[in-house]
Amino acid sequence: MKKQLTYKEYGNMSGPLLVFLHGGGVNGWMWDKQVEYFKKYHCLVPTLPGHGLQKGKVPFSIHDCALEIIQLIEEKRTEKEVILIGFSLGAQIVIEILSVALNLASYAVINSANVMNTRFMDTMVAPLIKMTSGLVKYKTFAKMQAKQLYISEQYFETYYRESIEMDTDNLINILKESFSYEMPSSFSESNAKILVTVGEKEKPIMKKSAAKIAEQNSNCKEMIILGIGHGFPLADPDSFNETVEAWINDN
């Protein structure tokens, strides 16, 4: 398989492997507060295809991305315990990984994943993105988007620069893939202990998705995060980190 992923590694290289998968339209920097907190772990933070400052058109598939991350994990893990953490698009990829490699991960945290298959949005995505792509260049518009994702001033310039550089066709393909995603039936067979989180202020479809995910596997526990919208790891990194730590320590 041809590799398209770039990645960064942090922490204790002999510790358990903690894999962080970022959301669509952002990048691995969204996990900075997590890798700083989990210093005792071997933290692996890939940049998903089509994101960051990658140039040119890049094919994107949740399934193919999952396979590539599985391959990367197998190269890095040796005999280590594997823990998967994903936000939004990254959380969809975590679901796919758990469904393909049933025994790969011991623990997983799925934050704000849509599995309701909104494929009807496909026809609307391209016109909307092309209509608003010019607006991304304006900082006022970019700041409105950043606010919705809880992106702080510390990361705004990075987010803004990457948004401008992101290929429009890549963004359209990524969104279509995300909107049409369906949870594989084999997800129910994953042996990982899975925490499913969703913000209290998220859209109803996200809450329905969280409930659906939790219902599909007996190892799942659903948690609604009070006062939070779409972006728990960025909105309240301290609480997110404590939640993850408690989960992976069976607490």
Side-chain angles (χ1 to χ4, degrees):
M1 181 185 298
K2 184 181 178 181
K3 288 190 175 181
Q4 297 176 3
L5 290 177
T6 57
Y7 61 89
K8 292 182 178 180
E9 294 178 87
Y10 306 88
N12 176 12
M13 297 301 157
S14 62
L17 186 62
L18 199 51
V19 184
F20 293 96
L21 301 179
H22 65 77
V26 290
N27 201 345
W29 46 260
M30 74 162 285
W31 300 115
D32 280 0
K33 297 289 193 271
Q34 281 68 51
V35 297
E36 182 181 339
Y37 184 85
F38 290 100
K39 290 179 180 178
K40 294 181 180 179
Y41 292 80
H42 177 184
C43 296
L44 187 62
V45 186
T47 294
L48 301 179
H51 289 79
L53 298 176
Q54 297 177 25
K55 300 292 185 181
K57 293 175 175 54
V58 180
F60 185 85
S61 154
I62 287 175
H63 180 72
D64 289 348
C65 198
L67 294 181
E68 198 167 335
I69 291 169
I70 290 169
Q71 182 178 330
L72 178 61
I73 290 170
E74 293 292 3
E75 291 172 3
K76 297 290 181 180
R77 71 177 299 194
T78 55
E79 298 299 320
K80 296 177 183 179
E81 182 176 56
V82 175
I83 300 150
L84 303 173
I85 300 174
F87 165 65
S88 196
L89 177 68
Q92 292 175 316
I93 296 170
V94 168
I95 292 170
E96 194 70 15
I97 292 171
L98 294 172
S99 304
V100 172
L102 302 177
N103 299 306
L104 179 68
S106 299
Y107 297 89
V109 178
I110 296 170
N111 178 227
S112 299
N114 177 26
V115 295
M116 299 306 290
N117 185 354
T118 49
R119 188 170 286 150
F120 65 89
M121 291 286 292
D122 278 7
T123 56
M124 301 165 59
V125 170
L128 283 172
I129 295 301
K130 288 179 179 178
M131 191 166 53
T132 59
S133 60
L135 295 174
V136 175
K137 297 178 183 178
Y138 295 97
K139 283 197 173 182
T140 303
F141 180 79
K143 283 183 178 180
M144 288 171 56
Q145 290 188 308
K147 186 177 180 181
Q148 291 182 334
L149 290 168
Y150 300 99
I151 295 171
S152 67
E153 285 293 325
Q154 179 183 357
Y155 296 104
F156 174 74
E157 289 299 329
T158 301
Y159 167 74
Y160 177 60
R161 186 173 71 255
E162 292 182 352
S163 296
I164 291 173
E165 292 292 331
M166 193 170 194
D167 184 272
T168 301
D169 289 336
N170 285 343
L171 179 57
I172 290 169
N173 290 336
I174 289 165
L175 288 173
K176 284 185 174 182
E177 183 75 5
S178 181
F179 285 144
S180 62
Y181 183 67
E182 294 182 271
M183 184 168 41
S185 59
S186 56
F187 176 75
S188 64
E189 301 171 36
S190 172
N191 291 309
K193 294 181 180 178
I194 306 163
L195 179 64
V196 183
T197 67
V198 66
E200 179 192 22
K201 294 183 178 180
E202 293 207 55
K203 294 177 181 178
I205 194 169
M206 301 305 295
K207 295 177 183 177
K208 290 178 182 177
S209 288
K212 183 176 181 179
I213 296 165
E215 288 169 0
Q216 292 301 309
N217 188 302
S218 59
N219 296 325
C220 284
K221 178 181 176 63
E222 182 186 359
M223 179 182 290
I224 296 175
I225 311 302
L226 300 180
I228 297 291
H230 193 70
F232 181 25
L234 287 165
D236 193 346
D238 290 339
S239 291
F240 183 84
N241 294 343
E242 290 167 6
T243 300
V244 171
E245 185 175 42
W247 182 252
I248 63 181
N249 285 298
D250 295 317
N251 186 3

